[in-house]
Amino acid sequence: MTFKDKFKSYIGYDPDVDAAASSVSSIKEVASDLPKAAVNYVDRLFPFTKWIGSYNLQWGIGDLIAGLTVGMVVVPQSMSYAKIATLSPEYGLYSSFVGVFIYAIFATSKDVTIGPVAVMSLEVSKVIAHVQAQPGGAAYTAPIIATALAFICGFIVLGIGLLRLGWIVEFIPQPAVAGFMTGSAINIAAGQVPGLMGYSTKFNTRASTYQVIINSFKYLPATTKDAAFGLPALFFLYAIRSILSTVESRARNPIVKRAAFFANTLRTAFVIIILTIAAWVHLRHKSTKAYDISILKTVPSGFKHLGQPKIDTKLLGLLGPLLPVSTIILLLEHIAISKSFGRVNNYKIDPNQELIAIGVTNTIGTLFNAYPATGSFSRTAIKSKAGVRTPLAGWITGIVVLIALYALTGTFYWIPNAALSAVIIHAVGDLIASPKQLYSFWKVSPIEAVIFLGAVIITVFTTIEIGIYASVGASAALLLYRIARPRGHFLGRVRIHSESSDGTASPQTSRDVYVPLTPDGIRNPQIKVEAPPPGIIIYRVDEAFLYPNASYYAEEILDYAKKHTRAGQDYTSGNPGDRPWNDPAPPRWRKSSSVDTQAEANAAKPLLRAIVFDFSSVSNLDTTAVQNLVDARRALERFAAQPVEFHFASLLSPWIRRALLAGVGPEPAIARLYQRRIASTPVAGAAASSAEDKDIESASSGTDSVKASDLEGPVVSPHTSTFHLDLASAVAAAVGSNPAW
């Protein structure tokens, strides 16, 4: 015997297991695809190359209109959001300019607009306050902190995209996202009410939401003339939207409908222009010290802060605790928006490429001193409805922002801060989930509706960071619970007959289906389910069979088997000392009649013969699950005092077959117990097998064989007779010649 043979013997090498799914073959297959995968990887990094060559005048007109429309909206919005982030207005314009220009190159969504958003701006303000409150943090200015945050978060998101790990975003469900977004929107709106009324300097507007709301009512008597600008602005924003939305929905003339849409879209710019003129008229003859309303004042023209971001190890350490939350907000909101508009407009986005786009945007944006930017829901909706055709519309928006930066900063001086507060409140109102949406969560999954409400309440009464962690943690716990405690079912048979044209059942066209023995709330409860023959158990595994749920499945099967079948060895008439400790004899003081009744009931139960597993829902099987199956089989065979067959139906993967062969497959010593008559595999022209050799999974069964040209063969391998094509054949194999089935 060679060393190689000795080594194989030592490790227990089984050629049948290796043949079921070869690791070497899989590695070779992956390696052969590497050159093509590398070319495809590089090609996907620049998606604009797929459409830029087909760019035409019609696309250009659509992009021009959409870009100009979004540009008119993004200028006042970005300055408002910079205010939320506790930064000067120009930083919002910087972020808007860089975002739309860079995103167009890497985007897989034509609709998404990158730039400052309300929730991310709120988080930036929290980060700035956190860093500056730490020892040594006061040395860092707000712009330095915000720019460093953009670079680090952008770099993290870029790495996730380049490594193609965008699937991790899918672990955060929609109710959790909607929950902390709603709580954050309420937080932002509540924090802007004092600015709207003119008493924002009276108390801390960055405190917990409930405290801000209480203080807002408390300081109502301190309202100033700012309210004369803020309240009308908020009223007109909602009034114009209500009126023009009604006109747009009811108009039959497409020109009127289109005009109503654009007028509605530009309502923010219109209100800001009117109130800016009103503020100029009111203040133009007064000295700066005599101003009785709060205005924006000087906004630097052009890019005044170009240069690399200032990041050192100390600042990185101060930012560290809040980086996870900031990164989650940065990528989560963008992916949710891009996927949503992709579905609406019938195209598919690449989540990994979108993460690359966000990462590049934020890392390069720091050279312009931009703060974190991500996808904006409101501006994306406007862009989509305005008829955008390609991501190149972002460049038109960038040009509008550039013009505003160099030509309009003088007029920005007179913009009332109360008007910007009205713009913010109006914008974030759309982020608050409606009761209708909450009820839709409740209808689909009440538990997820509770997670949504919990996220909102926690965010309102604590902070946005705690709200995000709580909602994500609760969603993860729910996911793990669903994996660890799946709903397996013990099945029985229902025979279904097809009705003929005259409404009578036809026994010739009947078929068997297997449904849970107990009512499941889906099928008609009046239909009687036929239990399997005595000693046979049919069990459907309804989830991937993995280590979190392996013991749960095994224990459920063991408990059911011990409840519905009898032990192979009768201890009732023997010496009580011979019984195992975990199955003791009844106490001496118990009445003999009850003991006899229990013994009779137990004797009436059948011996366990076989268990049929329906693996049609099992996508993965791991080592722990296989070990639990092995242990369960041993325990059941000890209980029944005889071999117990395991049959597996509808295997979805050769790797599942390989795992079962390695663990619970037929061993040479007991293979005869599972042996069934398997027809040989005939070749065209060969003699057919005899009638008694026919098998539903063999080549000679007619309807269940596979025929290609002149070659006919079995659907499943005849060498593994415990693995079956479907549940019906597995049950037939377990039942054998039982005439009842």
Side-chain angles (χ1 to χ4, degrees):
M1 181 180 291
T2 64
F3 174 78
K4 183 178 180 180
D5 293 334
K6 291 181 179 179
F7 181 74
K8 286 184 176 181
S9 176
Y10 172 73
I11 64 174
Y13 175 76
D14 187 344
D16 291 335
V17 172
D18 190 62
S22 174
S23 302
V24 175
S25 299
S26 299
I27 293 172
K28 288 181 178 179
E29 184 179 351
V30 172
S32 65
D33 291 338
L34 282 179
K36 183 179 178 181
V39 172
N40 184 51
Y41 179 88
V42 175
D43 182 58
R44 289 169 62 186
L45 291 177
F46 303 98
F48 77 95
T49 57
K50 295 178 176 60
W51 53 264
I52 194 66
S54 303
Y55 203 82
N56 54 65
L57 180 62
Q58 189 173 349
W59 288 5
I61 294 173
D63 288 345
L64 178 65
I65 294 172
L68 289 173
T69 304
V70 174
M72 294 289 287
V73 175
V74 74
V75 172
Q77 270 196 1
S78 61
M79 291 191 293
S80 302
Y81 292 153
K83 180 182 172 185
I84 297 176
T86 61
L87 297 169
S88 300
E90 67 269 19
Y91 291 97
L93 296 173
Y94 299 160
S95 297
S96 298
F97 169 77
V98 177
V100 293
F101 258 97
I102 297 177
Y103 180 72
I105 301 174
F106 298 94
T108 60
S109 170
K110 69 180 179 64
D111 299 296
V112 173
T113 299
I114 295 287
V117 296
V119 178
M120 192 68 230
S121 298
L122 177 64
E123 178 60 18
V124 170
S125 72
K126 302 283 187 182
V127 172
I128 292 172
H130 168 79
V131 171
Q132 293 182 337
Q134 302 301 311
Y140 300 101
T141 63
I144 289 176
I145 298 170
T147 304
L149 181 67
F151 182 84
I152 298 169
C153 289
F155 189 78
I156 294 171
V157 173
L158 177 61
I160 294 173
L162 289 173
L163 294 174
R164 303 299 180 191
L165 299 176
W167 50 267
I168 62 175
V169 180
E170 308 297 340
F171 282 93
I172 306 177
Q174 183 183 355
V177 176
F180 75 73
M181 291 290 286
T182 296
S184 301
I186 295 172
N187 184 302
I188 293 168
Q192 293 303 312
V193 169
L196 187 80
M197 306 300 289
Y199 49 74
S200 58
T201 58
K202 300 291 184 179
F203 58 91
N204 180 19
T205 59
R206 306 289 171 179
S208 296
T209 307
Y210 77 97
Q211 293 177 328
V212 175
I213 293 173
I214 292 172
N215 286 326
S216 295
F217 283 106
K218 180 180 177 181
Y219 284 94
L220 273 178
T223 300
T224 65
K225 288 184 180 179
D226 289 279
F229 288 82
L231 290 176
L234 189 61
F235 171 79
F236 279 111
L237 285 171
Y238 278 105
I240 292 171
R241 183 172 74 173
S242 177
I243 294 170
L244 293 180
S245 296
T246 303
V247 171
E248 183 184 359
S249 62
R250 295 183 179 180
R252 296 183 178 180
N253 189 321
I255 297 177
V256 174
K257 187 182 289 287
R258 195 72 169 163
F261 163 72
F262 282 108
N264 193 11
T265 299
L266 299 176
R267 66 186 182 277
T268 301
F270 174 76
V271 168
I272 290 293
I273 291 171
I274 295 299
L275 290 177
T276 300
I277 294 173
W280 175 75
V281 171
H282 178 65
L283 299 174
R284 70 185 190 278
H285 297 305
K286 296 182 179 180
S287 64
T288 305
K289 294 182 180 180
Y291 289 170
D292 52 1
I293 62 171
S294 175
I295 59 175
L296 205 57
K297 296 186 178 179
T298 303
V299 177
S301 176
F303 295 98
K304 300 295 185 183
H305 310 286
L306 290 173
Q308 67 181 35
K310 299 177 182 178
I311 305 174
D312 54 37
T313 54
K314 184 177 181 180
L315 178 57
L316 185 61
L318 295 174
L319 288 171
L322 296 180
L323 284 178
V325 172
S326 302
T327 305
I328 289 173
I329 295 173
L330 194 68
L331 60 87
L332 196 61
E333 188 174 0
H334 178 89
I335 296 298
I337 292 169
S338 57
K339 281 189 174 182
S340 174
F341 281 89
R343 288 191 295 266
V344 169
N345 295 311
N346 196 30
Y347 62 85
K348 183 180 179 181
I349 66 117
D350 182 351
N352 291 306
Q353 185 59 32
E354 290 297 313
L355 294 180
I356 291 172
I358 302 172
V360 174
T361 296
N362 281 280
T363 51
I364 294 180
T366 57
L367 300 176
F368 295 83
N369 230 227
Y371 76 93
T374 188
S376 165
F377 180 83
S378 60
R379 297 195 294 273
T380 299
I382 291 170
K383 190 177 179 182
S384 175
K385 206 168 183 181
V388 64
R389 303 302 298 272
T390 72
L392 206 60
W395 287 14
I396 307 300
T397 301
I399 292 172
V400 173
V401 176
L402 198 63
I403 293 171
L405 261 172
Y406 280 95
L408 300 178
T409 52
T411 61
F412 294 160
Y413 181 93
W414 303 100
I415 296 177
N417 282 315
L420 293 179
S421 295
V423 169
I424 294 170
I425 294 171
H426 181 66
V428 300
D430 294 332
L431 299 177
I432 299 175
S434 64
K436 183 178 179 181
Q437 186 174 357
L438 171 59
Y439 183 58
S440 70
F441 292 151
W442 178 264
K443 288 190 294 184
V444 175
S445 175
I447 297 178
E448 291 186 308
V450 172
I451 291 176
F452 166 82
L453 281 175
V456 174
I457 294 171
I458 291 172
T459 303
V460 167
F461 284 92
T462 57
T463 64
I464 181 175
E465 292 84 7
I466 297 176
I468 291 175
Y469 285 136
S471 59
V472 172
S475 300
L478 178 61
L479 174 64
L480 292 175
Y481 178 81
R482 286 172 171 171
I483 294 173
R485 290 294 180 268
R487 297 181 179 179
H489 291 95
F490 294 94
L491 307 181
R493 184 180 69 177
V494 172
R495 181 154 289 172
I496 297 177
H497 301 276
S498 299
E499 289 187 353
S500 59
S501 57
D502 58 359
T504 59
S506 174
Q508 287 78 19
T509 57
S510 65
R511 60 189 177 92
D512 293 340
V513 296
Y514 294 88
V515 297
L517 290 168
T518 56
D520 56 4
I522 298 176
R523 71 174 192 275
N524 185 351
Q526 297 179 351
I527 299 295
K528 183 179 179 181
V529 180
E530 185 180 358
I536 306 296
I537 295 174
I538 307 173
Y539 186 73
R540 183 172 67 208
V541 181
D542 286 341
E543 183 65 70
F545 205 162
L546 302 171
Y547 66 90
N549 56 35
S551 61
Y552 176 81
Y553 278 134
E555 289 171 7
E556 192 171 39
I557 294 167
L558 284 169
D559 292 343
Y560 185 89
K562 291 180 179 180
K563 181 178 179 182
H564 293 85
T565 62
R566 73 173 188 270
Q569 184 174 353
D570 185 11
Y571 292 106
T572 56
S573 58
N575 185 356
D578 294 335
R579 298 181 70 123
W581 70 272
N582 58 341
D583 185 21
R588 294 186 179 87
W589 57 82
R590 182 177 293 183
K591 294 181 179 179
S592 60
S593 59
S594 62
V595 174
D596 293 340
T597 302
Q598 183 179 357
E600 291 174 3
N602 187 58
K605 297 176 182 178
L607 282 172
L608 180 63
R609 293 169 45 205
I611 298 179
V612 179
F613 292 89
D614 180 1
F615 266 35
S616 59
S617 298
V618 178
S619 57
N620 289 288
L621 186 71
D622 65 8
T623 304
T624 306
V626 171
Q627 185 60 51
N628 273 271
L629 283 174
V630 172
D631 294 341
R633 184 174 185 173
R634 290 172 180 167
L636 290 171
E637 289 182 341
R638 284 197 301 268
F639 173 74
Q642 67 176 19
V644 176
E645 300 180 14
F646 274 20
H647 292 265
F648 300 91
S650 306
L651 303 186
L652 300 180
S653 163
W655 290 97
I656 295 177
R657 182 170 176 264
R658 173 186 169 122
L660 291 173
L661 277 173
V664 295
E667 301 172 6
I670 58 173
R672 290 186 299 276
L673 297 173
Y674 303 135
Q675 189 63 42
R676 297 168 54 214
R677 297 177 66 87
I678 302 296
S680 60
T681 304
V683 182
S689 303
S690 62
E692 63 269 17
D693 282 339
K694 289 187 177 182
D695 185 272
I696 60 172
E697 293 174 341
S698 71
S700 47
S701 62
T703 56
D704 288 276
S705 62
V706 176
K707 188 171 184 178
S709 65
D710 60 346
L711 179 65
E712 192 174 276
V715 178
V716 295
S717 171
H719 302 296
T720 51
S721 55
T722 58
F723 301 155
H724 305 275
L725 179 66
D726 57 15
L727 188 57
S729 58
V731 173
V735 173
S737 59
N738 191 320
W741 272 48

